[in-house]
Amino acid sequence: MRNEYIPEALSERVPLMKREWLSLYNRMGEHPHAPVWNTRCGDRLFEPDLESVKSFALKLEKGSREFGISPPESIIAWCEKMKQRSPWFELKLAGINMANHWRRITPMTRSDMQSRLELIVPLDADLSRLVVNPTSGTTGHPIPAPNHPAAVGCYDPLIQYALRMNGLKASCEGEKVAAIQICSQQKTITYHTVHSYLDGAGFAKINLEEKNWRTEESPALYIEEMKPVFLSGDPYSFLDYIRRGIEYRPGAILSTAILMEKVVREKLQGYFRCPVVDMYSLNETGPIAYSCPDDPSKLHILPHDIFVEIVSEKGEPLPEGDRGYIAVTGGRNPYLPLLRYITGDTASMSYGKCTCGETSPALVNLEGRKLVLFRSRSGKIVNSIDISGIIRSFPVYSFSYIQHADYTCRLKVSAGGELTTGSIKLMKENIESLFDNDVKLEIERDAGLLKNKIIPFICEAE
Amino acid sequence: MKEGPSLEAMLDRLAAIPGDFMREPGKKKKGEAGLQLTALINDLLLDTGDLPVSAGEIKTLENRNEEREYLRILSILCHLFHDPFFIKNRPDRGLIRKFLFSPKLEDLASCAGDAELFITDPDRREELCRLALNAVGLYPAGETEKRGRERLATLDSIERKKILDKTRQAQERAREIREAMLRKEAEEAASKMSRE
């Protein structure tokens, strides 16, 4: 019987795969209207990893997530331990009494993460389990962050928590498709898998772009048949979902990668008639905050093992209500311990228990990664994620892309010597092809981008 | 700290070290003339106003019989401290003894590899002279205490080795991480239900 056999390629990717999960896995993959799958992926969790995710989930549910402007004791204790293991922590915490002089600790920046990673990664970290998840590159500083399957596995309980707090009642566990991630890009990876933490529940990452499907109706038919508990994606992909008239309504919408504007939220709520949850999450930090069910303009700090503060450019903590940079300390990524890591986005902070029942502080008026759409002269829409996808495939530290009113484009990049003239030419050709070659692009180097706060995408074309 | 002899005088003394001091130290087999280091140290301590070598110290030296470069450094220092300046001006009792039996000299021996460098190499020669002066609370005549400390810091073999080791370790770790990242970027990641 075919269902009794677990292919090796699958058990390598889902080490805890069970035979009873195979029928769902195969149904997702082999459905007559399934998209073209262009990669294979799994949770890569072994038994000890799963135990660590479960333990994290338990603490997330039971532990205190309340903190004020000063770091809680648990964070100070964590930093003390990290001082023995990470040269970065040893260097930055030398001679500092954290409880009294936290503000004196020099913040970590994206530039540090790109150029001084070897100081941040703990000396005793076993690199054999390292994974690198791709980023959509919406921040202008594509950081290929190292991660561990157990830390990536913690996304599941974090997402479940955020959805449940926003009113999702259905369980995501067991023999069902927990989620489908909707992408709307010219090129992205697509795969289907099952998650061990969710007892074999299915997950698929699909791309609405026509060339991925057998017929025009296939996306709608596939999603309808799979009946995912929730849909994840970014605001642009959900707008494309609506534009294509796909009728399936899930139990919840989880939007990440790009900040959701109020007007988009209203449109999604009107269409899907279910909780629309915005999650602030970065590749290098993991999920940070989720939108409050009572007031979606604020986002509650999500994990119990991070300390988030609002600081000035120099790292001075700012009082409640003042806008400043978001800085994160802590986390569970064994390769990337964070010490006042400045994400590059800004917000103010609100402390105290919320009407929704959440006790963790909330980021208010988050200003971050915005949805930017570009246009070819013929009117074709180009998603900024496609542009960053191309830029990310080259050794670029930082970038800023602008389309002028006359449709011409200029890309400024900060990069090292690895970015050759040949690579720049290829990058230009690839990006121009997104615009069907009717828009001219100029690429120039700008070393100053690394130091400065940048707006990655600007469109001045009407 | 007090002013000691001039650095030049110390350097000259070191450069003109008699060949006997550079002979193989430690106990030798019958019929071979090995350097009698215990006797040398004993003479030095007595001549500079200290007590003779103790039984425990003799045992320590015997236990280190195989640590050739460390013993040779001790021998060189015996010559250096046997300068008329120290015999006449007698440093505070115990300071020479403390220095000779300190772990610092073991570190110095392991950094240098060959103790003869402290005779032949100008920087190492100066380092040993300054270390010896510093150990007995002196700085070279004609210099200030601050200048003496700064110059010693720039010559410090142990610190330099530590820095080089750390740099080498950091470079090695950076290479490992870079390679792991490149390898893993080319492979598949771990599945997650949201994107960033």
Side-chain angles (χ1 to χ4, degrees):
Chain A
M1 235 169 94
R2 57 175 290 196
N3 278 2
E4 288 185 351
Y5 168 70
I6 300 174
E8 203 180 315
L10 178 56
S11 57
E12 271 174 19
R13 293 168 177 83
V14 187
L16 300 173
M17 182 76 195
K18 292 179 184 170
R19 271 182 252 170
E20 56 262 40
W21 299 346
L22 267 175
S23 92
L24 174 67
Y25 176 81
N26 289 329
R27 189 163 70 84
M28 291 175 79
E30 295 167 7
H31 189 276
H33 289 285
V36 177
W37 307 110
N38 60 21
T39 194
R40 289 170 171 164
C41 194
D43 59 21
R44 297 188 177 270
L45 295 179
F46 289 91
E47 200 56 61
D49 303 322
L50 184 60
E51 286 310 310
S52 119
V53 178
K54 284 179 179 171
S55 154
F56 171 84
L58 206 64
K59 287 177 191 154
L60 177 71
E61 296 293 337
K62 311 269 181 210
S64 162
R65 290 183 301 116
E66 201 177 334
F67 60 81
I69 202 162
S70 301
E73 276 175 24
S74 57
I75 285 290
I76 292 180
W78 178 84
C79 289
E80 275 296 346
K81 280 189 194 155
M82 210 43 80
K83 229 164 106 175
Q84 317 298 322
R85 302 177 54 214
S86 158
W88 182 272
F89 280 65
E90 186 190 358
L91 198 72
K92 302 295 172 187
L93 299 177
I96 290 183
N97 176 331
M98 285 184 271
N100 296 336
H101 302 120
W102 181 260
R103 62 178 59 211
R104 288 193 194 157
I105 302 168
T106 316
M108 194 185 269
T109 64
R110 288 171 172 184
S111 168
D112 296 327
M113 219 171 255
Q114 284 170 321
S115 60
R116 314 295 303 276
L117 188 61
E118 74 277 8
L119 294 181
I120 300 169
V121 178
L123 294 169
D124 57 355
D126 169 14
L127 303 180
S128 67
R129 300 290 314 280
L130 188 148
V131 291
V132 180
N133 277 85
T135 162
S136 60
T138 48
T139 58
H141 295 270
I143 298 173
N147 214 327
H148 189 285
V152 178
C154 292
Y155 276 62
D156 276 345
L158 287 165
I159 289 170
Q160 304 300 302
Y161 181 94
L163 295 179
R164 204 185 62 238
M165 288 299 282
N166 271 273
L168 177 69
K169 291 193 173 60
S171 154
C172 289
E173 291 179 18
E175 200 180 347
K176 62 177 79 165
V177 176
I180 289 182
Q181 184 178 124
I182 310 291
C183 300
S184 176
Q185 293 169 238
Q186 296 208 359
K187 197 179 157 196
T188 188
I189 56 166
T190 55
Y191 65 88
H192 66 101
T193 188
V194 291
H195 279 204
S196 314
Y197 173 76
L198 297 174
D199 196 20
F203 168 65
K205 181 173 186 291
I206 63 170
N207 187 1
L208 296 180
E209 183 71 23
E210 285 85 357
K211 59 183 180 243
N212 291 278
W213 302 89
R214 282 166 209 172
T215 69
E216 208 178 309
E217 293 76 33
S218 289
L221 291 170
Y222 182 74
I223 296 167
E224 181 65 49
E225 286 277 314
M226 293 301 119
K227 295 194 172 18
V229 178
F230 70 95
L231 292 175
S232 65
D234 60 72
Y236 178 75
S237 65
F238 290 127
L239 290 176
D240 195 31
Y241 183 103
I242 295 170
R243 188 184 62 80
R244 287 170 193 267
I246 302 173
E247 289 185 359
Y248 177 76
R249 265 85 166 169
I253 293 289
L254 178 73
S255 178
T256 53
I258 295 167
L259 199 65
M260 187 154 27
E261 302 291 349
K262 194 176 169 213
V263 59
V264 176
R265 166 180 291 280
E266 284 166 1
K267 184 158 181 147
L268 299 191
Q269 276 170 334
Y271 188 82
F272 288 110
R273 302 189 295 276
C274 69
V276 174
V277 184
D278 194 7
M279 193 164 81
Y280 176 48
S281 180
L282 305 175
N283 210 19
E284 59 276 26
T285 62
I288 295 176
Y290 72 99
S291 54
C292 170
D294 286 358
D295 175 5
S297 73
K298 62 184 191 182
L299 288 92
H300 288 294
I301 304 304
L302 179 49
H304 58 278
D305 59 357
I306 60 170
F307 169 59
V308 181
E309 54 187 323
I310 300 297
V311 300
S312 70
E313 214 159 330
K314 289 181 178 168
E316 278 293 310
L318 298 176
E320 182 170 9
D322 279 16
R323 173 172 290 280
Y325 293 97
I326 298 165
V328 183
T329 300
R332 65 217 72 89
N333 182 344
Y335 304 116
L336 218 49
L338 305 169
L339 182 60
R340 308 191 85 203
Y341 172 64
I342 295 192
T343 66
D345 301 316
T346 63
S348 61
M349 194 74 104
S350 160
Y351 300 97
K353 192 172 175 183
C354 179
T355 51
C356 72
E358 183 57 88
T359 53
S360 71
L363 296 170
V364 180
N365 295 324
L366 174 68
E367 280 272 345
R369 311 128 306 147
K370 302 216 171 195
L371 172 62
V372 182
L373 300 175
F374 299 95
R375 287 163 187 82
S376 72
R377 287 179 198 279
S378 62
K380 180 187 170 187
I381 301 289
V382 175
N383 186 349
S384 55
I385 293 180
D386 277 320
I387 297 174
S388 63
I390 291 172
I391 298 170
R392 200 179 63 221
S393 65
F394 293 90
V396 168
Y397 303 144
S398 246
F399 67 87
S400 169
Y401 190 99
I402 181 165
Q403 182 170 38
H404 298 296
D406 64 359
Y407 289 89
T408 60
C409 298
R410 181 178 292 268
L411 169 63
K412 290 182 180 179
V413 294
S414 160
E418 308 91 349
L419 187 71
T420 59
T421 314
S423 315
I424 292 176
K425 187 168 172 274
L426 187 60
M427 187 168 17
K428 175 177 156 70
E429 285 169 6
N430 289 350
I431 295 174
E432 283 180 342
S433 76
L434 290 176
F435 292 85
D436 295 336
N437 293 307
D438 74 356
V439 159
K440 197 166 170 277
L441 167 68
E442 278 185 28
I443 301 179
E444 64 177 82
R445 281 175 180 269
D446 182 352
L449 284 180
L450 255 188
K451 291 175 197 144
N452 304 326
K453 166 117 180 108
I454 55 169
I455 300 170
F457 292 105
I458 299 170
C459 182
E460 294 171 348
E462 291 297 319
Chain B
M1 287 183 92
K2 294 184 213 156
E3 194 174 77
S6 75
L7 186 66
E8 289 69 29
M10 298 275 288
L11 291 169
D12 287 350
R13 182 169 176 84
L14 203 48
I17 186 169
D20 283 355
F21 282 87
M22 297 310 289
R23 283 212 319 264
E24 192 74 12
K27 281 187 176 172
K28 301 303 275 184
K29 287 175 192 164
K30 228 178 180 178
E32 285 180 28
L35 181 70
Q36 291 307 308
L37 190 56
T38 312
L40 266 184
I41 296 174
N42 197 56
D43 288 352
L44 170 68
L45 294 178
L46 291 174
D47 290 347
T48 52
D50 208 337
L51 298 171
V53 176
S54 68
E57 286 164 343
I58 292 172
K59 190 80 188 154
T60 305
L61 289 170
E62 281 174 0
N63 288 344
R64 290 181 178 164
N65 215 6
E66 300 301 315
E67 295 173 37
R68 186 172 171 269
E69 301 310 322
Y70 165 68
L71 298 176
R72 292 174 87 200
I73 289 179
L74 283 182
S75 169
I76 295 169
L77 284 168
C78 282
H79 170 68
L80 197 60
F81 279 126
H82 231 133
D83 187 271
F85 176 91
F86 298 105
I87 294 169
K88 189 181 166 198
N89 294 289
R90 296 192 166 187
D92 290 346
R93 187 190 276 187
L95 289 182
I96 293 181
R97 167 177 249 116
K98 190 178 167 195
F99 183 49
L100 294 183
F101 291 98
S102 68
K104 183 154 181 99
L105 294 189
E106 289 171 56
D107 292 344
L108 203 61
S110 87
C111 291
D114 181 354
E116 200 143 337
L117 279 176
F118 291 105
I119 311 290
T120 55
D121 182 277
D123 278 353
R124 299 288 69 78
R125 197 159 62 216
E126 182 181 342
E127 182 187 9
L128 193 67
C129 290
R130 287 184 181 276
L131 270 177
L133 283 176
N134 187 64
V136 295
L138 301 173
Y139 57 89
E143 288 185 9
T144 61
E145 185 182 335
K146 185 169 176 258
R147 153 82 189 143
R149 280 190 200 282
E150 283 171 356
R151 181 64 187 150
L152 180 58
T154 60
L155 290 165
D156 195 328
S157 296
I158 297 167
E159 275 310 305
R160 198 173 56 251
K161 185 165 185 304
K162 275 187 199 160
I163 291 166
L164 282 176
D165 283 352
K166 269 201 163 176
T167 310
R168 241 192 313 271
Q169 280 167 11
Q171 283 170 343
E172 177 61 19
R173 187 68 174 159
R175 188 188 58 76
E176 273 175 23
I177 294 168
R178 252 193 327 269
E179 283 178 5
M181 295 276 287
L182 282 175
R183 203 168 50 240
K184 300 293 181 171
E185 261 185 298
E187 292 174 12
E188 304 141 18
S191 173
K192 60 181 176 189
M193 295 186 176
S194 61
R195 60 192 328 218
E196 285 137 344

